[in-house]
């Protein structure tokens, strides 16, 4: 039986001067990504696919590298597109996101 394990990216370095699609992981985010190794082993993950966004690619490839698994970027596999959207305070961003999904 095949399974699909979906993982959200780890904690990114948020920088209002850089588009969200270009953010990388914080040191804490990299550490959390290493912890995914156990989950990947538990679920017998054999391949890792990520978006082109650095934060997502790092999140997936860190444990993949530790387990000697292939890790590849898949076009159009990414979060919602926030290109051109201003950086918002977290509470405002979450409210906008909630409204988006309700509609």
């Amino acid at each position: 039986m095949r399974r699909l394990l979906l993982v959200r990216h780890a904690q990114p370095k948020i920088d209002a001067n850089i588009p969200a699609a270009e953010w990388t992981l914080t040191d804490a985010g990299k550490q959390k990504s290493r912890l995914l190794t156990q989950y990947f082993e538990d679920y017998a993950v054999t391949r890792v696919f990520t978006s082109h966004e650095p934060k997502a690619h790092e999140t997936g490839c860190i444990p993949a590298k530790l387990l000697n698994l292939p890790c590849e970027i898949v076009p159009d596999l990414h979060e919602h597109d926030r290109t051109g959207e201003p950086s918002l305070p977290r509470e405002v961003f979450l409210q906008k996101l909630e409204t988006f999904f309700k509609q």
Side-chain angles (χ1 to χ4, degrees):
M1 174 174 63
R2 289 184 183 201
R3 294 182 185 179
L4 175 64
L5 179 63
L6 298 175
V7 178
R8 183 186 183 277
H9 64 76
Q11 181 184 10
K13 294 177 195 170
I14 297 173
D15 182 338
N17 298 313
I18 298 174
E22 296 176 20
W23 292 344
T24 59
L25 295 182
T26 61
D27 289 340
K30 290 176 185 177
Q31 180 58 35
K32 290 279 189 179
S33 294
R34 285 185 204 64
L35 298 176
L36 285 172
T37 304
Q38 186 61 53
Y39 287 100
F40 283 16
E41 287 181 319
D42 292 347
Y43 285 95
V45 171
T46 58
R47 295 181 76 174
V48 176
F49 300 98
T50 74
S51 79
H52 68 279
E53 295 185 11
K55 61 186 175 275
H57 193 66
E58 286 179 279
T59 299
C61 289
I62 287 171
K65 184 175 181 179
L66 292 169
L67 295 170
N68 199 31
L69 297 173
C71 182
E72 77 181 77
I73 292 173
V74 176
D76 297 323
L77 177 66
H78 55 80
E79 288 185 281
H80 55 282
D81 186 356
R82 296 186 345 198
T83 303
E85 289 291 322
S87 184
L88 301 169
R90 182 166 176 74
E91 291 176 12
V92 175
F93 171 74
L94 292 175
Q95 182 59 51
K96 284 187 77 166
L97 199 57
E98 182 179 339
T99 300
F100 169 80
F101 282 108
K102 282 182 179 178
Q103 295 175 352

